[in-house]
Amino acid sequence: MTYQVLARKWRPKKFADLVGQEHVVKALVNALDKGRLHHAYMLTGTRGVGKTTIARILAKSLNCLHAEHGEPCNQCDSCRQIDAGRFVDVLEIDAASNTGIDNIREVLENAQYAPTMGRYKVYIIDEVHMLSKSAFNAMLKTLEEPPEHVKFILATTDPQKVPITVLSRCLQFVLRNLNSTQVHDHLVYVLQQEQIAYEDAALLLLGRAAAGSMRDALSLLDQAIAIGSGKVTESDVRNMIGAVDKSYLYALLEALAARDGQALLSKAEEMDSCAVGFDSALTELALLLQRLSILQSVPAAIGTNEPEYEALTRFASLFSGEQIQLYYQCALRGKADLPLAPDEKAGFVMTLLRMLAFAPLAAMSAQRLHGQIDGTQLQEVPVSNNQAAFKPSVIEQTMPASVSVSQSEEVPQTDAVPPTLAELETDIEPTPAMAVGSTTENISPSIMHAPQSVVVGDELPPPWESSGDDMSHELVSNLVAPESMHTEEAGEHKEISAREQDEYGDTLIPAQIDATEIITAKDNFPPLTAENWPEILSLLAHRLGAVQLFSQHTAIAAYDESNGDLTIALAEQGEPTANRELLNRLAETLSEVYARPIRLHTCSWHGQNALETPQMRQQRLHTEQQQQAQSILEAQPAVQMLMETFNASWVPESLRLHKE
């Protein structure tokens, strides 16, 4: 008996055998069971997901003599002949080979005649998008109103090429790609029925390599059985599909943990000599990093019985969560940049060196926040001059307010868990101070001369109202800091008390501290007037978050200081981004900084021509500056001469007024 390939031998014969297309199966079975049949069906999806298979099963169900609840019996003459391709009332057409109008005209002429053996004439047109425009036009009328005994089943991998007039006349089903787990489970079933030995890891590799296609997976399985002489092993499958040996990936992670650049380069050379695909290597490395992140975040998601569990656990303990996320992004970026590299090896090596270059910063962050790695207590990590000049500048100009920890201040100890890097940096928003080239000239003296201080908190006097020494004194007098931030002085371990976040998560307030100890911000904010509104929003920018999307298009229409009723007019540009939640947030923020309840009301912009939003004000100032710059230039004799000589005119967008 001749050998039949697995993809054909294990092709489903009924709806219950289909894998991963439950949404299509349920609709078709219910329609068959209730007799609610459409005259035309369109099945779309990528290769090997079951389009033609579903079409054949549907054709059998329509003509089966003993169909039960929509399922064909596969025993009657009709079912057997349809499976064998000999049933005269089921015509399967390959549109890729029969694209012309003559082929379709022949089908349409025969459609008017009653079926010979079955209940329905079923026309299965595969790859229907290949038909010519004239062929589509010829079948439109018949497709819309076919005879009662005719059913059309169209299948295509590219529905965008099918005319919308055809799509609108069909009941369309989109078949999904299968995930690797579904493919793996079906391959296990097939191999058990075939009584072929296999390794589970090999089937997982085949499931990923199939890219959602069950037919491709079965074809790869046939190839793996041939290579393995009747068995399926992980090593054979890896060599067959070009997957990377996990030992290479483990060695790369070991070198990254040890920050050993020489070991990284040596391993890359070894992979190159073994003809390892570097594109596949980066893909496998990203998958491994993803599993490490899952193990750190949700340990129960990785079963202890998995073969890689011990290795994953060990590597998860060597890296912080921040490092794993960073390396994952490096791997993805390196894979995307690989076609742009001089060659694949160079791109792969540069990706590894990028990981190595960022490793010290990631490790330093983990050491500062967590205090230990592998159970070893760490001392304070020294900061280079460039970092010392950069970090305080960022904190001073981006945090909503500031207080510092004095070396002489007594701090209560706590057993609170140290916060993560993401928790500490929730409030920080990018500012011009973070640009490359920031120098110590941008840093106030109080921060420059207090390297032991931690600058975080909720109330910062405006820099134009305080000198450096006054600011330092003001900061030291108010103790607010993130939980479990450590300082070392004279062998004494100090720990800063905890903070809590407000309901919006972007305003940090002190925990367990008397309200009278917090300096109110009312005196630092201008009165609530239409003229001061742009300045008020600018001062609150770091606390408003998404509120800024519409607040820049608002203006104060009225404010009753006696009862705290504030009415703002909302311009048309801000309406799409305004909602009740953000308005409530703006009202709460204003109530907090002005230390009194403020109720916010809105009104239409119509009739408010005298008002000006911050966006309008910015545009007006920009226009005035352009006009002023133009006036200054036009007053210059040399410019006047050039304009007269060349009949020149100004380009307004190019004018900038720079004031010393």
Side-chain angles (χ1 to χ4, degrees):
M1 181 177 178
T2 59
Y3 176 72
Q4 190 175 25
V5 297
L6 295 178
R8 292 187 60 194
K9 181 178 180 180
W10 292 98
R11 191 168 202 162
K13 297 292 192 299
K14 56 183 180 179
F15 288 120
D17 296 337
L18 286 165
V19 178
Q21 308 299 343
E22 290 80 5
H23 63 297
V24 178
V25 170
K26 183 178 180 180
L28 293 178
V29 168
N30 289 340
L32 289 164
D33 193 27
K34 303 296 183 182
R36 301 177 63 88
L37 299 174
H38 203 271
H39 62 270
Y41 296 89
M42 174 74 74
L43 303 176
T44 66
T46 57
R47 71 195 188 284
V49 294
K51 299 183 297 297
T52 306
T53 298
I54 291 177
R56 291 176 180 176
I57 296 174
L58 179 57
K60 284 195 298 184
S61 298
L62 290 169
N63 289 288
C64 181
L65 301 177
H66 309 293
E68 185 175 353
H69 300 297
E71 287 279 13
C73 69
N74 289 323
Q75 302 297 325
C76 65
D77 290 340
S78 296
C79 289
R80 289 200 299 267
Q81 289 187 39
I82 291 174
D83 282 336
R86 296 192 301 267
F87 196 72
V88 295
D89 291 327
V90 175
L91 183 62
E92 189 168 339
I93 303 170
D94 179 17
S97 304
N98 302 276
T99 61
I101 187 174
D102 294 336
N103 306 109
I104 295 300
R105 185 176 289 120
E106 182 181 354
V107 171
L108 300 179
E109 289 175 354
N110 293 328
Q112 59 184 319
Y113 301 112
T116 303
M117 299 177 61
R119 286 196 295 261
Y120 294 98
K121 274 191 172 183
V122 182
Y123 293 96
I124 301 174
I125 306 179
D126 203 4
E127 299 299 338
V128 69
H129 67 274
M130 300 292 288
L131 290 178
S132 64
K133 184 177 180 180
S134 57
F136 275 123
N137 291 333
M139 68 183 296
L140 277 178
K141 187 62 178 177
T142 306
L143 194 62
E144 183 176 16
E145 297 179 359
E148 290 294 330
H149 57 268
V150 174
K151 302 295 179 186
F152 286 95
I153 306 176
L154 314 180
T156 177
T157 56
D158 197 353
Q160 288 80 12
K161 293 183 180 179
V162 179
I164 190 65
T165 51
V166 173
L167 289 175
S168 65
R169 288 166 168 80
C170 301
L171 195 63
Q172 187 172 354
F173 293 100
V174 180
L175 277 65
R176 302 167 184 159
N177 281 6
L178 306 177
N179 60 48
S180 58
T181 302
Q182 291 172 323
V183 175
H184 165 271
D185 293 345
H186 188 66
L187 295 184
V188 169
Y189 171 77
V190 169
L191 289 173
Q192 288 176 347
Q193 297 300 312
E194 294 284 332
Q195 298 182 352
I196 296 175
Y198 65 91
E199 294 180 3
D200 198 63
L203 302 188
L204 290 172
L205 290 172
L206 291 175
R208 287 211 306 267
S213 170
M214 184 62 76
R215 183 174 63 228
D216 288 0
L218 290 170
S219 298
L220 289 172
L221 182 61
D222 251 332
Q223 186 178 354
I225 294 172
I227 292 175
S229 299
K231 59 182 179 180
V232 182
T233 63
E234 181 182 5
S235 59
D236 289 338
V237 171
R238 284 191 179 278
N239 291 332
M240 181 184 76
I241 65 176
V244 182
D245 193 328
K246 286 293 178 67
S247 62
Y248 291 124
L249 304 180
Y250 293 158
L252 293 176
L253 290 181
E254 292 278 6
L256 285 173
R259 293 170 56 187
D260 188 345
Q262 182 60 46
L264 282 175
L265 294 179
S266 299
K267 188 55 62 175
E269 289 287 347
E270 182 181 345
M271 294 170 69
D272 186 41
S273 64
C274 295
V276 174
F278 291 116
D279 184 88
S280 300
L282 289 174
T283 300
E284 294 289 334
L285 182 58
L287 287 171
L288 179 57
L289 291 167
Q290 181 242 4
R291 289 174 64 80
L292 291 179
S293 184
I294 290 177
L295 183 60
Q296 285 188 342
S297 304
V298 189
I302 307 294
T304 56
N305 57 343
E306 291 197 16
E308 300 178 3
Y309 182 78
E310 184 177 349
L312 292 175
T313 304
R314 181 168 62 88
F315 285 116
S317 66
L318 292 179
F319 301 103
S320 67
E322 292 84 359
Q323 283 178 282
I324 292 175
Q325 292 293 333
L326 177 63
Y327 295 157
Y328 178 78
Q329 290 297 326
C330 288
L332 294 185
R333 174 56 61 184
K335 180 177 172 63
D337 291 346
L338 213 56
L340 306 177
D343 57 67
E344 280 201 348
K345 179 186 175 184
F348 181 73
V349 169
M350 285 303 296
T351 301
L352 297 180
L353 295 179
R354 187 180 301 139
M355 294 179 180
L356 189 65
F358 285 113
L361 180 59
M364 182 178 66
S365 299
Q367 291 170 2
R368 285 174 179 253
L369 293 175
H370 301 290
Q372 60 180 17
I373 292 179
D374 293 337
T376 305
Q377 186 69 28
L378 300 174
Q379 300 298 323
E380 181 70 11
V381 180
V383 183
S384 67
N385 292 336
N386 290 339
Q387 292 169 332
F390 177 75
K391 294 298 283 185
S393 174
V394 174
I395 295 175
E396 179 191 9
Q397 299 189 31
T398 59
M399 294 299 287
S402 177
V403 289
S404 71
V405 181
S406 169
Q407 295 183 8
S408 60
E409 188 75 21
E410 291 295 332
V411 184
Q413 294 190 357
T414 178
D415 294 328
V417 178
T420 64
L421 182 61
E423 291 169 345
L424 289 180
E425 294 182 351
T426 301
D427 301 356
I428 298 181
E429 296 289 339
T431 69
M434 299 178 69
V436 176
S438 298
T439 63
T440 57
E441 295 176 0
N442 298 325
I443 306 170
S444 68
S446 62
I447 298 180
M448 284 292 295
H449 298 296
Q452 293 280 346
S453 297
V454 180
V455 184
V456 287
D458 227 75
E459 298 300 334
L460 174 62
W464 56 85
E465 295 183 5
S466 302
S467 66
D469 294 337
D470 291 341
M471 186 183 297
S472 178
H473 177 74
E474 182 99 306
L475 297 179
V476 172
S477 64
N478 297 274
L479 175 60
V480 183
E483 67 176 24
S484 301
M485 186 71 77
H486 300 285
T487 59
E488 298 287 344
E489 181 186 12
E492 180 182 358
H493 181 73
K494 298 184 179 181
E495 200 165 87
I496 300 171
S497 58
R499 295 188 305 173
E500 296 176 349
Q501 286 186 330
D502 70 356
E503 59 178 315
Y504 298 107
D506 60 7
T507 301
L508 295 174
I509 59 175
Q512 301 177 352
I513 186 168
D514 193 272
T516 59
E517 298 182 18
I518 306 175
I519 300 177
T520 62
K522 181 178 180 181
D523 295 335
N524 295 332
F525 277 79
L528 273 169
T529 63
E531 295 78 11
N532 295 333
W533 187 237
E535 182 183 357
I536 293 171
L537 292 179
S538 177
L539 293 172
L540 292 176
H542 58 276
R543 304 177 67 175
L544 293 180
V547 176
Q548 297 180 82
L549 294 175
F550 75 88
S551 64
Q552 294 300 311
H553 302 286
T554 61
I556 294 181
Y559 175 53
D560 189 345
E561 191 170 2
S562 61
N563 57 19
D565 286 338
L566 175 65
T567 302
I568 62 171
L570 182 61
E572 183 179 352
Q573 296 89 334
E575 291 178 357
T577 55
N579 57 51
R580 175 49 54 188
E581 180 183 354
L582 296 179
L583 288 169
N584 289 338
R585 182 170 175 180
L586 177 59
E588 292 174 5
T589 304
L590 291 172
S591 300
E592 181 182 346
V593 298
Y594 283 97
R596 62 160 302 167
I598 293 179
R599 289 179 293 275
L600 192 63
H601 310 278
T602 59
C603 66
S604 174
W605 188 263
H606 298 294
Q608 306 289 345
N609 297 331
L611 298 180
E612 185 180 51
T613 68
Q615 184 68 25
M616 294 176 182
R617 179 177 180 273
Q618 183 180 359
Q619 183 62 38
R620 176 177 58 80
L621 293 176
H622 178 70
T623 303
E624 290 175 356
Q625 288 181 352
Q626 284 185 334
Q627 293 173 350
Q628 185 179 357
Q630 182 173 337
S631 300
I632 293 173
L633 288 172
E634 288 177 344
Q636 302 296 322
V639 176
Q640 295 173 359
M641 182 186 67
L642 287 173
M643 295 186 69
E644 293 174 0
T645 303
F646 297 102
N647 193 23
S649 60
W650 296 104
V651 180
E653 294 79 10
S654 66
L655 298 176
R656 298 288 186 273
L657 181 64
H658 297 282
K659 294 185 178 181
E660 295 295 336

